[in-house]
Amino acid sequence: MEALPEDEEYTYREVVLPSLIPVVPEPELERESGERRRGRDVIVAVDHGPNSKHAFDWALVHFCRLADTLHLVHAVSSVKNDVVYETSQALLEKLAVEAFQVTMVKSVARVIEGDAGKAICKEAERLKPAAVIMGTRGRSLVRSVLQGSVSEYCFHNCKSAPVIIVPGTEAGDESIVDWKRSDSKP
């Protein structure tokens, strides 16, 4: 994959999130400094896979804090296809509600058309976030090197923010199981 040219535009559709998510008030003044605590912009790239959900959950638990804005980004082949857009919209709405319930962060959602890696890097360039968080695809190392992956592309080409790649749930579970088995042997 090659980098998206700077002057090339990309197509996207904003997702209007449900009104049942209350508006998060501005943070109060800090007692010691008298300054308003500013939140960070955090991009979480999501799809319909379990590793993406695991990365989203990791971001909520380990990275996001109250004043942050969570930018949920989902890349699709065409934003003009209503079935694809509605499926993506349902996913992003569900995740935005969960983000508010778990960490009370404000969420913004965007469905982007095009190659996922290029679109995520372009969105990061536009927002200048504190981090871009994404999951792995769950491939083996050899297969990932031969075929490439979105997370690998973003890791090498996203210059405007650090990229945090959260390992999939399967790899962590297997290593824990193996460790327990080897520990229990006499």
Side-chain angles (χ1 to χ4, degrees), residues 43-178:
I43 291 179
V44 178
V46 295
D47 61 18
H48 297 279
N51 290 341
S52 173
K53 176 68 167 92
H54 179 67
F56 170 78
D57 293 339
W58 183 92
L60 293 182
V61 172
H62 297 288
F63 196 82
C64 290
R65 52 188 186 214
L66 185 61
D68 291 346
T69 300
L70 189 66
H71 295 268
L72 301 170
V73 177
H74 180 63
V76 297
S77 57
S78 172
V79 293
K80 295 176 181 114
N81 183 333
D82 288 335
V83 173
V84 170
Y85 178 75
E86 289 170 8
T87 304
S88 301
Q89 181 180 12
L91 170 71
L92 296 172
E93 286 176 356
K94 184 181 100 175
L95 294 176
V97 169
E98 184 178 338
F100 182 78
Q101 289 172 341
V102 172
T103 57
M104 294 184 61
V105 294
K106 175 184 173 189
S107 295
V108 177
R110 184 176 267 201
V111 179
I112 301 175
E113 181 177 301
D115 180 62
K118 293 176 184 179
I120 293 165
C121 289
K122 193 73 169 174
E123 192 70 6
E125 183 64 34
R126 182 182 74 83
L127 289 171
K128 307 276 192 264
V132 176
I133 301 172
M134 59 182 37
T136 59
R137 192 172 206 178
R139 294 180 181 167
S140 68
L141 178 62
V142 173
R143 194 167 179 196
S144 180
V145 169
L146 293 175
Q147 294 179 337
S149 70
V150 173
S151 56
E152 184 180 345
Y153 178 86
C154 292
F155 181 77
H156 291 293
N157 294 294
C158 188
K159 306 296 182 203
S160 58
V163 175
I164 300 172
I165 300 172
V166 180
T169 56
E170 294 86 22
D173 291 344
E174 289 172 6
S175 63
I176 290 170
V177 170
D178 290 342

